[in-house]
Each structure stands twice: as C-alpha cells, then as structure tokens.
Amino acid sequence: MAQQMTMIQAITDAMRVEMERDETVLVFGEDVGKNGGVFRATDGLQKQFGEERCFDTPLAESAIGGLAIGLGLTGFRPVAEIQFFGFVFEMFDSIAAQASRMRYRSGGRYNSPIVFRSPFGGGVKTPELHADSLEGHVAQNPGLKVVIPSNPYDAKGLLIASIRDNDPVIFLEHMKLYRSFRGEVPEGDYTVPLGKANVVREGEDVTIVTYGAMVHTSLKAAEQIEQERGAKVEVIDLRTVHPFDIDTVVQSVQKTNRAIVVQEAQKSSGMAAEIMAQINEKAILHLEAPVLRVTAPDTVYAFSAIEDKWIPDSHRVAQAINKVLDF
Amino acid sequence: MGTKAPSQLKPIRTEKVETIQVLDAQGKVVSADLEPQLSDEQLREIMKRMVFTRVLDQRAISLNRQGRLGFYAPVSGQEGTMIGSQFALRKEDFILPSYRDIPQIVWHGLPLYQAFLYSRGHQTGGRIPENVNVLMPQIIIGAQIVQTTGVALGFKKKNEKRVAVTYIGDGGTSQGDFYEGINFAGVYQTPSVYVVQNNQYAISVPVEMQTNADTLAQKAVAAGIPGYQVDGMDVLAVYAVMSEVVEKARQGEGPALLECLTYRYGPHTMAGDDPTRYRTDKEQDEWEQNDPLVRFRKYLKAKDLWSDEDEEQTIEEAKEEIKKAVKKADETEEMTIPGLIDSMYETLPLPLEEQKAEFGKTEE
C-alpha cells in the first residue's frame, strides 16, 4: 500500500516507523515535543511514544549536540533536530570535532549513530540564517555523511537508512519542498541506500548533477531545452551529497560528454567544486566542453528581499546547458 | 525631569560559599563529622595511588623531555582532587576526562600503556577495553560537559544505577558548554557530577580573569543544581563530598557541581609553557605548603598506617610498572594510513576505498 504524501509527512512517517521498530531511537530538539516541531515534522511522535522518547530540550544547540553524542555512547540512536540549519554554527563542535571523530579517536571502540536533522533552503522568506545552504561546510569533515532528499519517497527511505546507519548523518530538508507537492510513499519500512545517486531523467546530450530543490529547477530547464532544441538532458539527483556516488556521475558523463553542476549554495569551495574535481579526475578525456556550475553568487545568503533572484532558476540552468551544448 | 530617589532595588545575592575541609595542612582532622568511614586498607590505597601518580607525573615529564612521550599535561599538586574523586566511583560509573585527567582514567581501569599511546597520538590509546568505563581525553574545553549530560541521560533512560562524571578546569567554566551542560543536567535531573579542578590558572590567565563571581561553585545556583566548594588539596574532603554527591546521583536525586581548590605545580603542558611568566615563587611555595601528599601522609602516620618503607616500596613499584607500560607502548604496532582510513566509517565509502588503495601502495 502506498499513500500520497508531502515530503514533511514522509519525514514524520520515517521517524514513526523507526521509533516503532527500534526502541533505542530517540527524537529531541527545540519544540519537537508537545508542539511537534516548528514545521510539525515530529507531529504526534510524543503523543505516540511518550516524553521519554520524543522530548523538548532547553534552547541551546551545542548541548543538543553533546546530548546526542552522550546518548549515542550509551546505546541509543539519537535523532536530534537543529531547528534551522543556520543555527548549526552553535553546534559545530559537536558535529565537526566530536561526533565525526568518535570512531577515529576510540580506534573503533565507540561510534556516534546520530542523525542531525535540519530544515534549510531558500525561497520561503525566512529570516536571516535560516535558509543558508551549508552542506559544503559539513561535507568537509571526514566521518560524516550528508544527505539531502528531493522528494517524499526518497526522504522517507533515506531518513530510515540514516537512522540505521552507525555513523553520524547530517540530514537536510529543503523547506521549499516540505509541502510544495505530494508523491507516492509506501507504508511501513523501506530504505533508500545512502551513497547512491538516482538518474531522475535520462538523456544523451548533457548531464546535470544536482540535489535537493535544484533537482526540480534542473528538470524544468531540461524540459525547456528539449522543447527548444530537442537536446536530451540527463539529470542526476545525488541524494547523498557526501560521500557522493561518483560512479553514476562518471557513467553518465561517458555517455553525454558534457556536464554541469547545479547547487543552491554559493559558488566557491562547496559541493559543486568537489563534484567538478572528481569528474575531472575520472572522466576528463570524455568531456567535449568545460564542466560548468550554476550556483548562487559568492555572497551571504540574500534572505527574503531578493532571494528569488539569488537562488539559481531554470532560466540560468538552461543558459548553462546551451553554453556547454554550443561549446 | 525631576531627580529620582536612590533605587531601592536589591540585586540577588548568593550566600557566602564555605570551603569544605576534613584535614588541615598538618593532617589534623578539622571536621570529624565529615571524616569518611574508610578501612585502613582503603586509606593506604589512597596514599599509594597519590604516590604512584606523583611518580608517574615525574616520569612522564622526563619521558616527554626525552622525546619518548607526546602531548602531556602535568598533574602534580592536583592528586588530592584527582585520586579522591575517582576513589568515590564504582567501576560501572563513566568518566569523561579532559586531557589532564589521565590519572583518573588509569585508576578507573585504562591500561597505562594505552595512556602513553594516546599521548603519542596512537589510535590504540583510545581503544578503551570493553570493561573500562571511560572516554578518551577531551581536547576542546567544555565539550565533555555537554556529552556527560547525554551519557547520564542515557543511564537514566535505561534505569541503570550508574553515574557519569566529568572534569574541567577553572578556565572551562567560562565556556558556554559548561553552562549549557549543567543547565540541561538540572532540567533532566541526570545522574551526573561535574568536577571543576580550579588550579587557579587557565594556562596563564588567573581565575580572577575568568569570572567576577566569588566562586565557581556558585555557578551551580544558576543551573538549579547543588554546588560545593572543596579544599582540593585535601583528598579526604574531596572523597567525602564526591561519594555523597555520586551516591545521591545514583539514587536518582540529580546532578551536582564540585569546585575543588587546587594548584598545578608544573607547566600547563610540556609544549613550552613557562609558569614563571605568570606566577610567583612565593605563590607556588604557599601552595606547596598545602601539598595533598604531605597532608595525607601526616594523617596516616599519626594512625600508624604509613611508613617510609611503604613510601619507598610504592615508588619502586610505580617505576617498575611505568617502565613496563612504556615498553608495551613501544612494542605496539605502528599505525598505518590504510588503518587510519578504516577508522573513519563503519563501511568505507568508495572514495576512501580508492584512497586506501593508493596510500597502501605508497606505504609498501
């Protein structure tokens, strides 16, 4: 049986399935208990599983991170919510210096089976430091995995896989995708494996590598290009952005000989740069045009006022596609 | 605009904090009601551990100077706090140490050779044996405080009668994590104890520069948990207070904060710190008059529980055990880059598989 669900419903469902299946799974964070989260991602969990398993914390992100690490050391699987990913800097020590290094520091004796869930992403008129795409910051820390779903089906399957993973996972939920569309989501238990990309649109002429909300922007551009000039664009949704599935990317590039990377984050030093570097290492002789990236500019996230101009749109993606096709 | 009368508002004040002491500097009992009921053998054991720890400190400093040990933070002067607090724990209690707290984790069961390996940056140092309940030493000041509350919350949720104990210095109480950790502990009433070893300096910065509060113990008040200030040079006072708060935590009565007043005789670490730049000889002499070993030795000698022969024998045993541990550390197989790569994830992602193969080749 499958149901039509929004992405946020699928996320709640994933936590419910795992809390039912495994009593060591705990969900906590600011406002996640009685209130069910500021986006209602944890709606009903406290009611169903009690205050012992779904609980509010005081308002302090660093201690939420420390709490997750300590609970992880005593046999629990913490799912800790960072209310908005722009607040992660307050928790950065726990993520980058503690949880990610636990396995290394203990020579494998201890681990941090933690999911840090957090909403992020632009286009919904949030205040400052709520919408920033900071996946590149966390991806640089060895020991972490970074997951960004683009649709309800993947969101549920990836979150279940993340909760079951024995290493820390940063699970980022694009706010604009929370309720913008519904998709088919199976009931109960299934996983979407971490580290595996998904070819969401097949094509022969150019490859777009992307993730999160930009999957939809890229698909729109791909349709436009096909209508305008008949070119077939392949779109790869990475799903796990770190460590990402370079094999699927290389296979695609070997077929299309052209690639662009689309991300909502700023241009420099982020995921796009890493993806381009790996394409360069593994497929440069297959390329017939430079790999381009479509990104936001290297500025602070322009919250609210001009965010719609700041975030890459399908027009800019289409321009980049034309550029590599015409090279 | 008229002139205003002087304000009648009275700010909140804490009561004057008393320093808890059992023995004075001459080893005389000053608070008989607090004197712990320990057997002769237990009292001798505490003395043995303090002497052993002093020898260990001297040997570690010397090994460091010879280049045979890595990072090391001296402990002499702090034995009363370190040994007295750990002695109050049960084996199942869990210690989250800072980098200076090697004696506590060794006495809690970490093999000494692993402490040496940790100091050298060898991963085997952190591979804590299954039946030893400690974490690897923390480098980031305050990170262990928030983790301790998490470990203790885990014990509480599993209905295990165990206590999580952590250590931090005076400087660490200025960190946000210190307040966040004890505040969460108050909210969740976790079985956790936070020991502040106030050795008067955070590297060179004196405790007066860390806070305008009269004591560090009173910081517990803001978190709504009990706080105590203890003479940290008095091993019996530390043990007495620690056993009480640990047992209360075990019985579900919640967390506590201890401030132990102490002093490190040596430098902050062996990496070039020179205490003469920020402390006076006079001050150091005054603290050495309060030495925890001298005081406790006098107490035991008055009870006829300790002799010069006992002291000599303990020193010799310590030297022998340290020698063996260094040998075992030296004989441990060297780390490799592929081995390091293996420790990053449970299952290696493809890019790391490739890097492992690449670095494996280089090493051959």
Side-chain angles (χ1 to χ4, degrees):
Chain A
M1 275 288 285
Q3 267 182 294
Q4 289 291 317
M5 280 189 191
T6 61
M7 192 170 91
I8 195 158
Q9 287 170 331
I11 286 165
T12 313
D13 197 39
M15 285 187 273
R16 188 181 297 114
V17 165
E18 282 308 276
M19 289 179 90
E20 274 170 356
R21 198 187 61 86
D22 178 355
E23 62 177 19
T24 68
V25 175
L26 302 175
V27 170
F28 54 91
E30 295 153 5
D31 306 292
V32 306
K34 198 171 184 180
N35 196 37
V38 291
F39 288 100
R40 309 289 175 261
T42 55
D43 195 25
L45 297 181
Q46 188 177 70
K47 204 172 171 197
Q48 185 176 349
F49 299 101
E51 287 177 35
E52 281 294 310
R53 300 197 47 210
C54 176
F55 54 95
D56 288 322
T57 64
L59 206 167
E61 286 80 15
S62 185
I64 294 172
L67 209 65
I69 291 165
L71 287 165
L73 288 169
T74 50
F76 289 97
R77 287 192 178 275
V79 181
E81 180 175 301
I82 309 168
Q83 197 160 62
F84 291 92
F85 204 54
F87 309 167
V88 72
F89 296 108
E90 292 288 329
M91 198 197 269
F92 221 65
D93 182 60
S94 284
I95 290 176
Q98 307 292 331
S100 63
R101 305 166 72 102
M102 188 63 78
R103 194 178 284 283
Y104 153 75
R105 297 187 71 235
S106 67
R109 160 79 196 277
Y110 298 125
N111 63 318
S112 288
I114 303 168
V115 179
F116 296 100
R117 279 188 47 244
S118 192
F120 82 110
V124 293
K125 306 285 180 204
T126 55
E128 197 176 1
L129 277 165
H130 284 55
D132 302 52
S133 290
L134 302 169
E135 64 276 11
H137 286 250
V138 275
Q140 209 190 349
N141 295 283
L144 291 178
K145 296 176 183 176
V146 185
V147 175
I148 304 182
S150 69
N151 62 71
Y153 177 90
D154 284 353
K156 180 175 170 183
L158 288 166
L159 183 52
I160 291 177
S162 300
I163 293 171
R164 293 180 191 175
D165 201 275
N166 285 326
D167 289 309
V169 177
I170 311 293
F171 191 90
L172 299 176
E173 304 162 4
H174 200 290
M175 288 183 270
K176 197 159 187 189
L177 301 181
Y178 266 160
R179 296 189 169 86
S180 56
F181 65 98
R182 285 169 191 273
E184 196 159 281
V185 176
E187 263 180 37
D189 174 355
Y190 70 92
T191 58
V192 171
L194 304 187
K196 290 271 176 268
N198 190 21
V199 179
V200 292
R201 186 182 198 275
E202 290 195 13
E204 293 81 44
D205 301 315
V206 58
T207 300
I208 296 182
V209 185
T210 187
Y211 52 91
M214 286 297 121
V215 170
H216 304 281
T217 307
S218 300
L219 285 170
K220 198 172 160 193
E223 295 297 332
Q224 185 190 326
I225 291 292
E226 183 158 0
Q227 277 170 24
E228 283 174 8
R229 57 189 290 178
K232 300 259 194 292
V233 182
E234 181 145 301
V235 178
I236 297 175
D237 177 358
L238 288 180
R239 302 194 289 197
T240 299
V241 302
H242 177 77
F244 72 91
D245 181 2
I246 182 66
D247 282 357
T248 298
V249 173
V250 167
Q251 275 167 25
S252 175
V253 170
Q254 284 171 348
K255 178 175 63 173
T256 63
N257 310 112
R258 290 176 167 82
I260 64 173
V261 184
V262 182
Q263 69 176 15
E264 185 172 315
Q266 293 86 341
K267 189 166 188 176
S268 304
S269 306
M271 285 316 308
E274 177 59 29
I275 294 161
M276 291 165 79
Q278 291 199 31
I279 294 173
N280 178 42
E281 284 173 350
K282 298 205 164 176
I284 196 162
L285 295 178
H286 294 277
L287 290 171
E288 287 175 17
V291 181
L292 297 183
R293 52 190 152 164
V294 182
T295 71
D298 280 331
T299 69
V300 165
Y301 182 80
F303 74 100
S304 213
I306 53 164
E307 68 180 348
D308 294 338
K309 290 181 185 161
W310 192 87
I311 297 166
D313 58 17
S314 60
H315 177 68
R316 286 186 54 215
V317 177
Q319 272 183 332
I321 297 171
N322 281 325
K323 214 167 163 184
V324 294
L325 285 172
D326 299 336
F327 182 78
Chain B
M1 297 263 282
T3 51
K4 267 177 109 179
S7 168
Q8 298 298 305
L9 298 175
K10 286 185 183 150
I12 298 158
R13 300 199 74 86
T14 51
E15 294 167 42
K16 187 166 168 24
V17 175
E18 277 179 45
T19 309
I20 300 164
Q21 201 180 46
V22 173
L23 300 178
D24 68 12
Q26 299 312 310
K28 296 265 181 319
V29 176
V30 291
S31 332
D33 54 329
L34 287 178
E35 193 180 356
Q37 300 300 305
L38 291 166
S39 70
D40 291 353
E41 217 25 68
Q42 285 175 309
L43 290 169
R44 283 170 50 79
E45 179 64 22
I46 290 175
M47 189 69 217
K48 273 187 196 166
R49 290 183 181 194
M50 288 206 291
V51 172
F52 188 109
T53 302
R54 181 70 55 94
V55 176
L56 172 63
D57 194 52
Q58 289 159 352
R59 287 298 299 143
I61 288 170
S62 145
L63 286 164
N64 174 282
R65 289 193 175 128
Q66 296 162 29
R68 296 174 65 197
L69 200 65
F71 174 79
Y72 184 70
V75 299
S76 287
Q78 298 187 205
E79 296 93 336
T81 300
M82 290 174 162
I83 302 301
S85 59
Q86 190 279 329
F87 202 72
L89 306 183
R90 293 192 196 161
K91 192 159 174 54
E92 63 266 30
D93 295 336
F94 196 97
I95 299 180
L96 293 94
S98 170
Y99 49 79
R100 202 180 305 281
D101 304 311
I102 304 302
Q104 297 97 305
I105 57 174
V106 167
W107 291 115
H108 211 58
L110 181 73
L112 190 54
Y113 86 98
Q114 286 190 266
F116 291 151
L117 285 173
Y118 166 77
S119 159
R120 294 173 179 176
H122 194 302
Q123 275 183 304
T124 301
R127 200 170 290 138
I128 312 291
E130 285 293 333
N131 59 344
V132 177
N133 293 299
V134 305
L135 207 59
M136 304 69 68
Q138 180 58 251
I139 294 295
I140 299 302
I141 306 296
Q144 73 275 29
I145 302 288
V146 287
Q147 293 171 17
T148 298
T149 306
V151 169
L153 184 61
F155 292 157
K156 186 176 176 175
K157 285 190 181 297
K158 290 159 82 180
N159 287 315
E160 291 180 354
K161 299 263 179 224
R162 300 168 72 186
V163 182
V165 174
T166 191
Y167 294 88
I168 195 160
D170 38 310
T173 63
S174 301
Q175 288 279 13
D177 272 0
F178 170 75
Y179 177 72
E180 290 187 25
I182 63 173
N183 185 56
F184 272 50
V187 170
Y188 296 128
Q189 288 295 292
T190 48
S192 43
V193 176
Y194 306 83
V195 182
V196 178
Q197 301 182 81
N198 177 357
N199 68 11
Q200 316 301 323
Y201 292 89
I203 305 189
S204 68
V205 179
V207 66
E208 299 78 39
M209 285 293 292
Q210 296 294 344
T211 179
N212 194 40
D214 291 336
T215 68
L216 303 177
Q218 74 199 56
K219 295 194 173 214
V221 177
I225 70 172
Y228 305 87
Q229 190 184 61
V230 188
D231 180 350
M233 307 298 264
D234 175 0
V235 71
L236 281 190
V238 174
Y239 174 81
V241 179
M242 191 72 179
S243 8
E244 184 170 318
V245 298
V246 165
E247 287 319 307
K248 275 188 173 166
R250 196 186 309 287
Q251 298 314 318
E253 291 178 43
L257 174 72
L258 254 70
E259 177 190 7
C260 299
L261 300 175
T262 183
Y263 201 76
R264 75 168 141 80
Y265 300 157
H268 165 65
T269 71
M270 294 306 295
D273 178 43
D274 173 10
T276 63
R277 293 173 69 91
Y278 53 86
R279 301 194 308 210
T280 63
D281 288 348
K282 184 169 169 288
E283 180 187 280
Q284 177 132 4
D285 288 346
E286 281 168 12
W287 277 97
E288 286 184 17
Q289 298 302 312
N290 282 316
D291 186 75
L293 276 68
V294 171
R295 183 186 305 202
F296 195 57
R297 193 182 287 120
K298 283 181 179 165
Y299 170 77
L300 289 190
K301 281 190 169 176
K303 286 173 168 279
D304 210 15
L305 287 176
W306 193 255
S307 64
D308 292 347
E309 292 74 45
D310 288 328
E311 184 96 11
E312 273 312 308
Q313 199 187 330
T314 307
I315 292 171
E316 287 315 309
E317 281 169 12
K319 284 182 178 166
E320 195 51 38
E321 212 169 303
I322 293 162
K323 207 165 122 185
K324 276 191 211 154
V326 172
K327 188 161 177 279
K328 193 162 178 192
D330 289 345
E331 286 166 0
T332 304
E333 205 175 324
E334 269 188 49
M335 280 174 68
T336 64
I337 297 293
L340 171 68
I341 288 174
D342 275 333
S343 72
M344 295 316 305
Y345 295 93
E346 184 178 44
T347 310
L348 274 194
L350 182 67
L352 271 178
E353 284 286 6
E354 290 173 0
Q355 289 168 39
K356 186 180 166 186
E358 191 182 323
F359 280 92
K361 246 182 259 161
T362 325
E363 289 212 346
E364 273 162 18

